[in-house]
Amino acid sequence: MEIKACLFDLDGVLVDTAIYHYKAWKQLANSLGFDFTEEQNEQLKGISRMESLDKILAWGKITKSGEEKLNLASQKNECYVAMINQMTPTEVLHGTVDFLTAIKDEGYKIALGSASKNSAIILERTQLTHFFDVIVDGNIVGKSKPDPEVFLKGAELLGVPPSACLVFEDAIAGIEAANRAGMRSVGIGSPEVLTEATIVVKDLSKLSVQHLRQMNEL
Ligand code: B16
Ligand code: MG
């Protein structure tokens, strides 16, 4: 089936906001009297805000009520938003603007498929918004990856069948979501980690429209 649409994860594929998530969560953990490592932060990539908080509280062996958790999550988010409000286009990952420009010129439809509820600010600050026909993020989907909802919603809004969609993802859970949606995928990162992706590349600078044409056969 010919690929007609490209669906991009945000954090780890187009920009690297993991460092800001880490700083904001660390500040919250420290205020509760414990610390957590950058290695632990790896496990938070691609998962939702509330799921991240649950993991962090478990690491700190702390129990909180539902209402307290909502307060803690909004404290973390305030700190995170203050940082992403300072982002600039220089933080867009290597090869991203050239690749998005090339596929847009070629007529591919383009969607965002992110767990973040802050995707609009990030895309605006980094001047990427204009590339997207459709934005699907944590504000409009309820189920987190590896549930396929975020990508299936993107395909539906673009009016393209899942079998004609290609997902770009850096997280194992995101590749699983693509597979469950019946979509091919490009893993961004290491082939040893993203074993279930159709192909894996280091970053978007390694890809061209020609590569996408070759993927029609996969
Ligand atoms: P927010 P992605 C994800 O973005 C991040 O990787 C993950 O660390 C974060 O918890 C999640 O967004 C929710 O973010 O708190 O801004 O709603 O990789 O799905 O683009
Ligand atoms: Mg990601």
Side-chain angles (χ1 to χ4, degrees):
M1 166 72 96
E2 193 186 332
I3 292 164
K4 296 207 169 68
C6 295
L7 282 62
F8 292 89
D9 174 52
L10 179 59
D11 177 25
V13 173
L14 307 175
V15 294
D16 194 359
T17 44
I19 183 65
Y20 302 126
H21 283 295
Y22 177 58
K23 284 184 181 168
W25 283 127
K26 192 173 159 70
Q27 192 165 315
L28 185 83
N30 292 167
S31 76
L32 294 170
F34 65 98
D35 206 1
F36 79 107
T37 63
E38 265 189 85
E39 284 71 45
Q40 286 173 311
N41 190 58
E42 283 298 306
Q43 296 179 42
L44 306 179
K45 287 187 176 176
I47 67 168
S48 73
R49 194 181 307 167
M50 293 312 287
E51 285 167 320
S52 303
L53 178 63
D54 283 338
K55 274 184 182 275
I56 290 165
L57 292 177
W59 291 329
K61 302 191 174 42
I62 284 180
T63 311
K64 293 282 179 190
S65 70
E67 196 187 331
E68 285 169 323
K69 284 203 273 186
L70 287 176
N71 281 332
L72 292 172
S74 73
Q75 262 180 50
K76 179 268 175 177
N77 194 54
E78 264 180 44
C79 175
Y80 175 70
V81 169
M83 289 187 276
I84 58 172
N85 263 320
Q86 305 298 316
M87 284 181 85
T88 68
T90 59
E91 290 175 74
V92 173
L93 292 175
H94 187 44
T96 299
V97 171
D98 286 349
F99 184 66
L100 289 174
T101 304
I103 62 172
K104 199 159 183 72
D105 287 351
E106 196 68 19
Y108 288 96
K109 299 238 172 98
I110 304 179
L112 189 80
S114 167
S116 178
K117 293 187 173 177
N118 296 301
S119 69
I121 307 174
I122 298 167
L123 292 178
E124 195 189 314
R125 290 291 317 167
T126 54
Q127 294 176 9
L128 293 176
T129 312
H130 65 101
F131 286 111
F132 292 89
D133 299 299
V134 157
I135 290 177
V136 183
D137 67 10
N139 295 300
I140 60 169
V141 294
K143 296 185 204 135
S144 304
K145 301 166 191 173
D147 191 283
E149 185 185 13
V150 65
F151 295 133
L152 289 173
K153 189 81 197 161
E156 183 195 320
L157 292 174
L158 288 174
V160 173
S163 55
C165 291
L166 179 62
V167 168
F168 296 75
E169 253 293 349
D170 69 314
I172 296 170
I175 298 293
E176 188 183 333
N179 288 337
R180 283 166 62 179
M183 299 176 181
R184 282 161 282 183
S185 60
V186 175
I188 305 292
S190 140
E192 286 77 39
V193 177
L194 302 172
T195 53
E196 304 304 313
T198 313
I199 66 162
V200 179
V201 295
K202 187 167 159 279
D203 59 42
L204 293 177
S205 74
K206 303 282 179 282
L207 289 176
S208 64
V209 166
Q210 186 57 29
H211 289 111
L212 295 202
R213 289 203 198 101
Q214 287 164 3
M215 286 194 78
N216 287 336
E217 314 303 323
L218 299 179

